[in-house]
Each structure stands twice: as C-alpha cells, then as structure tokens.
C-alpha cells in the first residue's frame, strides 16, 4: 500500500455542512475554565507545524512500540519522533500530507529518499527477530487514523512539551510514555500535581473494598485526586468512593481509551470520562494484555505523589505499582489487614520495608501533602476518673471492690492522714463515686456505674 493510500484511509470523515454530526461530543470550554488554561486540541492552528508533525509521528509510534520499552525510548530520544517513524515505516515518510502544514511539505520535497525498513543492527540493540516484529506492526499503521479517532471521541493526544503534559512522567527516563491518549475535560497536569494512587487486589475482601472507598472519599473531600487502574476490587472501590464524594478521579487504562475494560466497569469508566479523566498509553482500538497491565502500573506510580496499597497478596500487580513508586522516590503506604488474610500478606511485606502504615485519608495527606497538613492525634476516651487529681484518685482506689471500709482503713490504704482522707471521700461522694453507710465508706453502685469508673471501666 502506498503512502498516499494510507493517508487517504486515515483521514477523518467530513460533513458537507461542517456541522458537528449527531452524537459527536461537543468540544466547548468546560464551565469555569478560562481560555488561558484550556488545553489546546491537537491540530490547533496556533501550534507550530513542527510540533504537530511531532504529535502525528508520536501517535503513530504508539501503534508500533510497546509501552515502557526503554530501548525504544532510547531510539526516540536519540533520533526524534519523526526520523524514528520514517525509519520504522521504511518507505512512508511520516504523517499524512493532509495533516502536515504546507511549510513542512515544502521542506520534505527536497528531503532524501525514505530509508528502508529496519533490520538487525540499524538501531542500537535491534535484533533480527525484533526488527521483523517492528516491520510487521509498521505495515499496519495508517498515519493519522488514531488521531482522527480520538478527536471523534472528544479526546486529545498529549506529548512531552504540551502545556498539559505531566512533567513528573519524565522521571521514568527512557521508559516514559511516547504520548498519552486522554478523554475528559480537566487539565491532567494540574490534577496530577495533587494526586494519590489507591491500588490493591482485584479479588478484595469486603474489608478491602470498604477501606478503599472510605480512603478515596476522604482524599476527594480534602481536594486530592484519586488515581487508580479501573480494575475490579480495590481499584473500582477507590474510583467509586471519589465519585460518591463529588471529587476527582483519574483512571489509567492498559488498553485504548475508547474501550471499557473490564466490561463490567463500562458504566464506571463512562462516569469517569464525564466527571474525571481517563488516560492510556495505547491508541484507541488496542486491547489489554497481562504485560500491559504491569507496564501501566509504572505510569500510575510516576503520575502521583504517593501510592497506597489497601490489599495485596504476595504476587500482586499492586506491589509492582508500589515498588515502582519507591524506585521513583515517591511515598509508598499500606493499610494493614488481618495477619490471617493472604490478601494482606503483600501489604505487610511492604510495611516491613520502607512503606508507611496509614489508616485514613488524614494520615495519607500528612505524608504526601504540604508542610503543616498534619493528621489529628488519636487518643482513647476521657473517663470521669481521669479528671480527678492524683490524691483524690488514690483515695478512690483505696476503697474496696466489695463491701465497705472504715475511714482509718481508707486513710491507711491511701497513705494519707485521716482528715485528708475524709475530705477526699466527701468530694468523691459529691461526684457520685463513693457513698457512706453506717459509718463506713464504699464504692457507689448506682445506675451510672460509677463503681466501674474507679478501675477505668465505662
């Protein structure tokens, strides 16, 4: 297939009137957002031609290269997106002519002939088997087709250098995403600046689901963005908790952002698209694989200030996220569970290392938040006997648990003079702790249970 045929197949559908087709999402400015911070859509006229050429090349590279491949990231860093795409396509010189500005096409007219498909040794670390696989993938690429698809969905494709690009992803080095396919109106960069990942087991217990939902709701109520992977179990509970609190949440998918995976979360992912942000490294139409789930977790770890693991077995993808966060210098936290539960064994292993134990949103924010955002100190209930001064409490403790005692016996047991013991006993009598009967003193046994208060009971 020639380059022009590929380009023709990749052009987005047009309407005769130019009116937005029925069912196509509107692209109006979100309520309350100014034009100064509104993310520009791919292809906007105000962008430089070179930037849009770079965007189109990176979008095509997401179809050819697997996410998180450091070797491919090295090629991209050393060659640049457009030359690398030309090398991989081997005969196709980049994005379709309809998407390349005239000035760029003029420059291309004098460019040298396109290079042949990649072979072993053409790129650093490229083996024969891998070169064959890249050629196979590159043969199916229709430049511009996925960009047209994301526009139909009302989404956008972000690349490094965009105003909305989360710069913390650069900490991944050569494993940084080639680009991000995004659906949802909010600014991803701003949301990621104040975000926490909540991850855990897919087959979580009711305890895990309740804890994840409560934790996410508490974070959302305090203005933090909850990031997770939209999977069953802890991930889904975290997203629902944030949405139920009217807060913000981001779902990082291991497939194209046009698909709902798992299928059982179709409604949930739809809600996140409308109220939050859905992000993916893979272009629309791509399906998830086990390896892509694990590679997706590094994006969750890098995007956020810290990662909280609620429930995780010893072999769990949530632990992959936590360890990636540790390597990146992010905070790693864990919520403990029963020592008899296998789903808490992985969390406890993290807590034996560098992870920090947390039990609620306030403790998470104390760790990842700004200076002064401290969690409240926890203490047991204050009992009435705690309010007594030490001498009076000592006289109270001198009264026998059963029966009565004389004034002399109470004074001897409390090690105080009889006059002082008598004064303290009358004070205890007024407060309902003691009573006098036939010249002796005993603990009061009324409906308030004051007798138990002597020993710290309720």
């Amino acid at each position: 297939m020639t380059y022009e045929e590929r380009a023709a197949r990749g052009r987005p559908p047009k309407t005769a009137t130019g009116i937005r087709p029925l069912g196509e999402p509107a692209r109006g400015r979100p309520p309350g957002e100014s034009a100064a911070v509104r993310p520009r859509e791919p292809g906007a006229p105000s962008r430089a031609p070179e930037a849009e050429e770079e965007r189109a090349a990176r979008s095509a590279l997401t179809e050819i290269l697997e996410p998180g491949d450091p070797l491919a990231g090295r090629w991209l860093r050393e060659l640049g997106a457009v030359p690398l795409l030309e090398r991989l396509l081997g005969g196709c010189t980049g994005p379709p002519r309809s998407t390349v500005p005239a000035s760029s096409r003029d420059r291309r007219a004098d460019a040298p002939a396109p290079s042949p498909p990649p072979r072993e040794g053409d790129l650093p670390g490229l083996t024969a088997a891998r070169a064959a696989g890249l050629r196979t993938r590159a043969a199916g690429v229709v430049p511009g087709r996925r960009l047209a698809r994301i526009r139909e969905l009302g989404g956008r494709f972000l690349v490094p250098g965009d105003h909305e690009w989360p710069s913390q992803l650069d900490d991944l080095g050569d494993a940084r995403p080639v680009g991000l396919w995004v659906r949802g109106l909010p600014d991803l960069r701003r949301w990621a600046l104040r975000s926490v990942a909540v991850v855990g087991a897919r087959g979580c217990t009711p305890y895990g689901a309740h804890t994840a939902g409560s934790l996410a709701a508490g974070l959302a109520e305090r203005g933090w963005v909850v990031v997770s992977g939209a999977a069953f179990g802890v991930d889904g509970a975290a997203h629902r908790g944030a949405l139920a609190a009217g807060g913000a949440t981001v779902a990082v998918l291991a497939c194209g952002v046009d698909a709902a995976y798992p299928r059982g979360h179709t409604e949930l992912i739809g809600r996140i698209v409308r109220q939050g942000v859905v992000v993916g490294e893979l272009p629309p139409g791509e399906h998830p694989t086990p390896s892509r789930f694990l590679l997706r977790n590094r994006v969750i770890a890098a995007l956020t200030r810290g990662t909280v693991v609620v429930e995780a077995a010893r072999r769990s993808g949530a632990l992959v996220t936590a360890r990636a966060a540790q390597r990146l210098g992010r905070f790693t936290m864990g919520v403990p569970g029963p020592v008899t539960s296998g789903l808490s064994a992985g969390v406890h292993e993290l807590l034996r290392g560098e992870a920090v134990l947390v039990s609620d949103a306030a403790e998470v924010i104390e760790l990842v938040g700004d200076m002064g955002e401290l969690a409240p100190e926890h203490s047991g209930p204050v009992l009435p006997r705690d309010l007594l001064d030490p001498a009076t409490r000592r006289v109270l403790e001198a009264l026998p648990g059963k029966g009565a005692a004389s004034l002399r016996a109470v004074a001897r047991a409390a090690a105080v003079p009889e006059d002082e013991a008598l004064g303290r006993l009358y004070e205890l009598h007024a407060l309902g702790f003691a009573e006098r009967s036939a010249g002796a003193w005993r603990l009061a046994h009324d409906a308030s249970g004051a007798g138990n208060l002597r020993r710290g009971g309720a």
Side-chain angles (χ1 to χ4, degrees):
M1 180 183 297
T2 66
Y3 171 77
E4 294 298 336
E5 289 174 343
R6 292 190 183 195
R9 288 180 56 184
R11 292 192 181 105
K14 298 181 179 179
T15 59
T17 62
I19 301 174
R20 178 171 56 87
L22 182 65
E24 180 180 341
R27 304 191 189 100
R29 185 179 306 164
E33 181 175 283
S34 65
V37 298
R38 178 188 175 189
R40 291 175 180 170
E41 295 185 13
S46 58
R47 289 194 179 273
E50 295 81 0
E52 289 314 308
E53 192 174 3
E54 171 89 1
R55 185 184 313 280
R58 283 181 175 268
S59 70
L61 287 173
T62 61
E63 302 182 57
I64 303 173
L65 306 175
E66 276 294 308
D69 185 347
L71 184 58
R74 176 187 173 187
W75 300 339
L76 183 58
R77 172 172 50 84
E78 294 180 351
L79 298 178
V82 175
L84 177 59
L85 178 62
E86 292 175 349
R87 185 79 64 88
L88 295 176
L89 290 180
C92 297
T93 57
R97 296 177 64 86
S98 61
T99 66
V100 177
S103 58
S104 295
R105 294 202 299 267
D106 293 341
R107 289 195 302 272
R108 285 178 177 277
D110 298 329
S115 58
R119 299 186 181 280
E120 183 177 8
D122 287 352
L123 295 169
L126 182 63
T127 63
R130 186 164 190 181
L134 291 175
R135 288 196 299 269
T136 301
R137 280 197 170 183
V141 172
V142 180
R145 179 178 60 182
R146 304 301 176 95
L147 283 176
R149 175 58 178 155
I150 196 66
R151 292 190 187 104
E152 291 175 0
L153 296 170
R156 55 201 179 276
F157 178 65
L158 303 179
V159 298
D162 282 346
H163 172 74
E164 197 183 350
W165 178 262
S167 59
Q168 56 266 50
L169 293 179
D170 299 343
D171 294 345
L172 292 169
D174 287 340
R176 178 183 69 176
V178 176
L180 291 177
W181 303 86
V182 180
R183 294 180 68 189
L185 292 177
D187 187 301
L188 178 61
R189 182 187 68 85
R190 293 195 174 192
W191 273 27
L193 291 175
R194 193 175 170 86
S195 64
V196 175
V198 179
V199 297
R202 289 191 299 271
C204 66
T205 64
Y207 161 77
H210 171 78
T211 303
S214 300
L215 192 66
L219 289 167
E221 289 170 353
R222 291 165 172 82
W224 285 79
V225 179
V226 176
V227 179
S228 198
F232 288 131
V234 168
D235 289 17
H239 288 305
R240 291 189 183 94
L243 292 171
T249 187
V250 175
V252 182
L253 304 185
C255 57
V257 294
D258 60 334
Y261 189 89
R263 296 296 183 187
H265 278 176
T266 300
E267 182 180 353
L268 175 62
I269 295 174
R271 286 186 62 195
I272 298 174
V273 170
R274 294 189 298 272
Q275 298 178 231
V277 180
V278 173
V279 181
E281 292 182 82
L282 294 164
E286 290 293 325
H287 64 279
T289 63
S291 62
R292 287 174 171 177
F293 280 114
L294 296 178
L295 291 169
R296 177 270 314 270
N297 293 344
R298 85 192 192 289
V299 178
I300 296 177
L303 198 62
T304 56
R305 287 198 187 182
T307 296
V308 184
V309 183
V310 176
E311 277 189 328
R314 294 189 185 276
R315 281 180 56 89
S316 172
L319 298 184
V320 175
T321 308
R323 288 169 183 142
Q326 289 178 339
R327 289 193 299 270
L328 292 168
R330 308 293 197 266
F331 294 103
T332 306
M333 295 152 279
V335 179
V339 295
T340 55
S341 173
L343 286 176
S344 293
V347 182
H348 295 162
E349 183 179 341
L350 283 176
L351 294 175
R352 283 171 54 84
E354 298 179 1
V356 178
L357 188 151
V358 294
S359 59
D360 57 25
E363 294 176 355
V364 173
I365 296 172
E366 181 179 60
L367 195 62
V368 304
D370 298 327
M371 184 177 297
E373 294 187 87
L374 302 178
E377 295 185 3
H378 300 289
S379 60
V382 178
L383 302 176
R385 69 180 302 275
D386 297 331
L387 303 178
L388 299 175
D389 63 77
T392 305
R393 190 183 306 122
R394 192 163 59 250
V395 172
L396 174 63
E397 293 171 351
L399 292 173
K402 292 183 178 180
S406 66
L407 174 60
R408 180 175 296 179
V410 173
R412 186 185 305 111
V416 295
E418 292 187 16
D419 291 343
E420 182 179 349
L422 183 60
R424 302 292 182 182
L425 287 169
Y426 274 114
E427 180 184 349
L428 293 170
H429 176 68
L431 294 173
F433 287 96
E435 59 185 21
R436 188 177 184 181
S437 176
W441 292 88
R442 65 182 182 185
L443 292 172
H445 297 284
D446 54 14
S448 64
N452 290 332
L453 295 178
R454 182 177 72 92
R455 300 172 182 83

